[in-house]
Structures are given as structure tokens and as C-alpha cells.
Amino acid sequence: MTAPTEGGDTPQTLAEEVLFAALAQLFPGQPIRRALDFFSDLGGHSLFAARVISALRQDPRFAQASVADIYQNRRIGAIAESLQAGMVETAQAGPQRPF
């Protein structure tokens, strides 16, 4: 797992590791902690939310991630939990067939 930015939390799950890395790119030097609100604490906005989701979707395990995950959860820890749950559900659903 990657080392946290000074004062930040250490990622504990795969979803946290990927999310924290994406957030560190957008908010360099800011500590990433589970309790922080994406918008009010980190200073995120809709464009940053879209950029985080785009970065997450680079990993096929998070292809289901959407901007709604950020808006509905807001806290970094809650966003990571939502992503982790979506990742597990996708894995349990089996292979997806293209249309």
C-alpha cells in the first residue's frame, strides 16, 4: 500500500488505496483522511469529482464508479466504502457480456 501524505490516513482497502491516490493527485500536499468531506474540507467541486471518477475507472474493478458516489457519500471514508461494496458486487455478479 502507498504511504499516506503526512497527517493523512493509511489506506486499509483496495478502494481506499485507489481513491486516496486519485485524491492525492488532485489535492497535492493535503492529508487525505476518511473523515474529510470531499467538498467542504478538501475544496472539491464537480470538475474534481469527475476527474476522480475518471481516474478510478481506469481500474476495471471500479468501472461502475460514478460522480453520484461522491455526491451521495461526500466523506472520503464513505466514498471508499461505496466503491469497495460496488467492487465486490461486480465481482460476485460474474463476467459481463457486451451488448
Side-chain angles (χ1 to χ4, degrees), residues 1 6 11 19 21 29 33 37 47 52 58 64 75 78 81 94:
M1 300 215 171
E6 189 169 323
L19 177 61
R33 293 190 294 273
D37 183 287
L47 178 59
V52 166
Q58 298 303 308
Q64 84 294 347
R75 269 188 329 99
E81 288 172 12

Side-chain angles (χ1 to χ4, degrees), residues 61-86:
R61 294 169 290 193
F62 301 106
Q64 84 294 347
S66 74
V67 173
D69 293 322
I70 295 175
Y71 277 95
Q72 291 171 352
N73 295 291
R74 294 184 61 106
R75 269 188 329 99
I76 303 308
I79 295 167
E81 288 172 12
S82 174
L83 293 170
Q84 188 74 28

Side-chain angles (χ1 to χ4, degrees), residues 1 11-23 56 59 61-62 64 76-88:
M1 300 215 171
Q12 300 298 315
T13 65
L14 176 62
E16 283 187 357
E17 187 170 349
V18 174
L19 177 61
F20 284 25
L23 292 171
L56 291 169
D59 185 323
R61 294 169 290 193
F62 301 106
Q64 84 294 347
I76 303 308
I79 295 167
E81 288 172 12
S82 174
L83 293 170
Q84 188 74 28
M87 183 186 75
V88 170

